[in-house]
Amino acid sequence: MANHHAFQQVVADLIREHHGKRVVSFEFEGKRYWLKQVEKLVGPMRLLKQNASEALNKEINVLTQLAKQGAPVPAIADVGEGYMVIEDAGKTIKDLLVNPQDMNWHFILNDAAVALAQLHSMQLAHGRPALRDISWQDGKVKFFDFEAHQQGKSILSQQVRDLLVFIHSLYRYIGPSNELINHAVWAYRTAGGELIWQKAKQFLASWQWLYYFAKPFRYVGGRDLKPVYWVLWHFRQRDNLAYRT
Ligand SMILES: Nc1ncnc2c1ncn2[C@@H]1O[C@H](COP(=O)(O)OP(=O)(O)O)[C@@H](O)[C@H]1O
Ligand SMILES: [Mg+2]
């Protein structure tokens, strides 16, 4: 960065102006950045304040480590007491869905799925890769808001969880029309995720009773429940060959 001191001045002003605001985006020398501050908790949650700043520190460590390993994460531009600044990674897929008509969803979702498979091939997991924490810009996918590493869980089971969260999020935001989703999951499998997909299928075998439970809610359930049915439905399709167009 050309002028680090001026940059820090801008950040200090922003923190004064938006103290405690979770994320603020701003521009500096023609580039966009995001200031993320420690989560501000109200009421009894304030007792957990220690955890909130720990969570941010953890996130800083995770982002630094993953960037070193070459994972697709936004670079950290600055850190300080109770905040970090990261480079803009473009719009999240959830944001892009607000104006879906002028985008090629086939490409975007495939790119995201392949990026997740690549992250997993690096023996990494995200923790909660929902569409609001995945960005897409000109074919480039970035992940942010990593949940802390889940202690005591094997990397494979964390990756299975990632895949299920991802598919759940696809059904949640894109709905039961499934051709795009089948294509995306197929892309995940062929980009190195096959073993994880098979494990997810095995894992869900013991949850198939939930399929019948969730069925009445498949069109009318809440925003989180409805997609549960479709995730189970997805894994019930015979071998899920995507290309049934
Ligand atoms: N580097 C970034 N590039 C683009 N958008 C971002 C970036 N960082 C944060 N955002 C936006 O801000 C939102 C909240 O940031 P996030 O890190 O997910 O915080 P939280 O822990 O509160 O969910 C994201 O969902 C995204 O819309
Ligand atoms: Mg988030």
Side-chain angles (χ1 to χ4, degrees):
M1 191 175 307
N3 192 343
H4 196 66
H5 183 71
F7 182 80
Q8 289 189 312
Q9 195 55 53
V10 168
V11 172
D13 290 346
L14 278 170
I15 291 173
R16 206 170 310 117
E17 212 177 310
H18 305 275
H19 189 74
K21 185 152 185 249
R22 182 61 163 163
V23 287
V24 183
S25 89
F26 65 99
E27 227 173 82
F28 181 80
E29 292 179 347
K31 246 180 102 169
R32 183 154 290 282
Y33 298 89
W34 291 76
L35 164 69
K36 185 168 179 178
Q37 299 182 64
V38 168
E39 197 153 19
K40 203 176 165 191
L41 301 163
V42 290
M45 291 302 280
R46 232 179 291 187
L47 293 172
L48 301 171
K49 181 130 191 181
Q50 193 56 39
N51 296 3
S53 60
E54 248 167 50
L56 187 73
N57 287 338
K58 245 185 196 163
E59 190 173 350
I60 291 167
N61 289 339
V62 170
L63 283 178
T64 310
Q65 182 57 37
L66 291 185
K68 256 191 220 153
Q69 289 175 250
V73 295
I76 296 183
D78 196 17
V79 292
E81 189 56 43
Y83 74 87
M84 69 170 179
V85 180
I86 55 178
E87 290 180 0
D88 181 50
K91 285 199 169 151
T92 69
I93 296 182
K94 183 190 165 217
D95 292 336
L96 290 172
L97 279 166
V98 173
N99 289 314
Q101 51 291 352
D102 21 281
M103 307 299 290
N104 189 330
W105 285 100
H106 183 76
F107 284 128
I108 296 175
L109 299 182
N110 275 31
D111 287 346
V114 168
L116 186 63
Q118 285 166 350
L119 189 77
H120 287 170
S121 303
M122 300 170 74
Q123 300 307 309
L124 299 168
H126 179 280
R128 199 194 51 205
L131 301 188
R132 65 175 177 279
D133 292 323
I134 305 175
S135 66
W136 185 95
Q137 190 171 46
D138 307 324
K140 271 209 193 125
V141 174
K142 293 250 161 81
F143 295 95
F144 42 86
D145 202 8
F146 280 75
E147 300 240 307
H149 176 78
Q150 294 182 295
Q151 275 186 336
K153 288 240 174 104
S154 75
I155 189 72
L156 184 58
S157 66
Q158 292 179 55
Q159 292 166 338
V160 165
R161 189 182 120 136
D162 271 8
L163 178 60
L164 294 176
V165 170
F166 180 67
I167 297 175
H168 180 271
S169 193
L170 288 172
Y171 280 109
R172 173 176 171 157
Y173 289 113
I174 297 169
S177 109
N178 56 77
E179 204 216 315
L180 278 171
I181 297 176
N182 269 350
H183 276 270
V185 175
W186 187 252
Y188 173 85
R189 291 173 65 183
T190 50
E194 178 66 18
L195 173 73
I196 295 160
W197 187 88
Q198 293 290 348
K199 286 279 171 200
K201 193 179 164 92
Q202 265 173 33
F203 168 78
L204 284 186
S206 59
W207 285 91
Q208 285 304 325
W209 58 270
L210 186 59
Y211 176 78
Y212 296 103
F213 172 79
K215 195 164 186 172
F217 306 103
R218 69 193 181 283
Y219 296 117
V220 297
R223 286 190 303 171
D224 286 314
L225 179 58
K226 207 163 40 172
V228 165
Y229 170 85
W230 293 104
V231 172
L232 293 164
W233 175 86
H234 178 89
F235 281 91
R236 286 172 72 92
Q237 307 308 299
R238 180 175 262 279
D239 208 32
N240 274 81
L241 284 172
Y243 300 96
R244 280 173 304 158
T245 41

